Amino acid sequence: MSSPLDTPTPSGSPLAQAVNAALATVIDPELRRPITELGMVDSVQVSDDGRVALAVLLTIAGCPLRDTITADSEKALFAVPGVTAVDVELKVMDQAQRDALKAKLRGAGAQRTIPFNQPGSLTKVYAVASGKGGVGKSSVTVNLASALAAQGLRVGIVDADVYGFSVPALMGITQAPTQVDDMILPPVAYGVKVISIGMFVTGNQPVAWRGPMLHRALEQFLTDVYFGDLDALFLDLPPGTGDIAISVAQLLPGAEILVVTTPQAAAADVAERAGAIATQTGQKLAGVIENMSYLEMPDGVRMELFGSGGGEVLAERLTATVGTDVPLLGQIPLDIQLREGGDTGVPIVLGQPGTPAAAALAEIAGRLATKPRGLAGMKLGLQPR
């Protein structure tokens, strides 16, 4: 507990104003908004000798990032000229304060809906699919998301591969989500908000669910998890065209499909089915990504371990099937460091950005980033005069 300040500085003094301005730069690590904007600053007192007593309201008593909030607050305040000491006291919001926070985030009176389906949403939603497992779909997903976040975009990932969840490990996430009543705050890694069923199971416990439970879990992720206003949301789908792929089409009809394949003809044949589901669901195909395209040898020669041309052939076939252009967005070479990054939880686009694989992934992310957050079909509220 902080001791009372002997001589409080008036709230309008230059030092007090500088302290308040500094607090406005402290970002909540889960909600990614200033603590001042979220109503988390309970009180702040500044003495004439530069001592600051700050009381911060946490959403729940067991907030996993309480130490981060304390450290960030202290860092911001000590950077203010004239501040000589900082005492941060952590309190917990009462129910009325939590209700006010949820209303601020969701909007007063907002219903529990999927925000990415709302008329005002500009989020680009990408469902990353593959015909079969083992083609590196999850690695591609986390690297594309991390690359976009590194460009300053607001990005989220839903690990929809309920049986084979791997995104938390690939992103180095060990923290559990924070639950504020019926709102779930997803962990953040490398600027990417992530939710996965793997965050709710103990150890390596398998998930043995039938279709309706899979649909309900995905629906809850999309309605109860607070992602905020995202530029891009990636869904890492399980391989094939099963229950989750159908649920995504129902819950997120505006999602665009990214198909990941490897170069060999057999893989392209299977991946074609994963992309052709768009003809039944009415979704758009954003493009094809060819992974494990080649291995670059020390002398610069490219060894095509799995053949070549599968991605290009798949893009041509899907273009003919859906009747619109489906581009080959890029070819990612085999790279040991890509695998090592997955094992250590550091995406290669961040850990080894100079490698050929990282460059290829960054280029694909750049192509996705240039796709505008369109206004087509949106009501702008304009009235003729």
Side-chain angles (χ1 to χ4, degrees), residues 46-77:
V46 185
S47 68
D48 285 339
D49 61 0
R51 289 181 295 140
V52 179
L54 169 68
V56 177
L57 296 173
L58 303 177
T59 52
I60 60 172
C63 177
L65 296 176
R66 55 192 297 129
D67 293 340
T68 301
I69 294 172
T70 299
D72 289 351
S73 299
E74 291 175 343
K75 181 179 179 181
L77 292 175

Side-chain angles (χ1 to χ4, degrees), residues 144 203 257 298:
L144 291 179
I257 301 174

Side-chain angles (χ1 to χ4, degrees), residues 341-374:
D343 289 343
T344 59
V346 181
I348 192 173
V349 293
L350 304 177
Q352 300 290 338
T355 59
L361 285 159
E363 183 177 352
I364 296 170
R367 295 185 67 175
L368 296 178
T370 58
K371 299 185 71 169
R373 303 212 299 174

Side-chain angles (χ1 to χ4, degrees), residues 11 32 43 55 66 83 149 156 160 180 222 237 243 264 267 278 312 316 323 331 334 343 351 355 360 379 382:
S11 59
R32 312 301 287 178
S43 64
R66 55 192 297 129
V83 170
V180 182
L222 295 172
L237 305 188
D243 292 310
Q264 66 266 46
E312 186 175 358
E316 292 173 353
Q331 296 171 297
L334 278 163
D343 289 343
T355 59
K379 295 180 180 180
L382 302 178

Side-chain angles (χ1 to χ4, degrees), residues 97-144:
Q97 290 166 329
R98 280 195 293 271
D99 289 343
L101 174 63
K102 290 186 294 180
K104 180 184 292 288
L105 296 175
R106 287 176 169 166
Q111 301 296 314
R112 289 179 63 198
T113 58
I114 298 176
F116 310 109
N117 289 337
Q118 298 307 301
S121 175
L122 295 176
T123 304
K124 298 292 293 185
V125 181
Y126 295 107
V128 186
S130 67
K132 62 186 185 67
V135 300
K137 170 181 51 61
S138 298
S139 295
V140 168
T141 300
V142 301
N143 275 281
L144 291 179

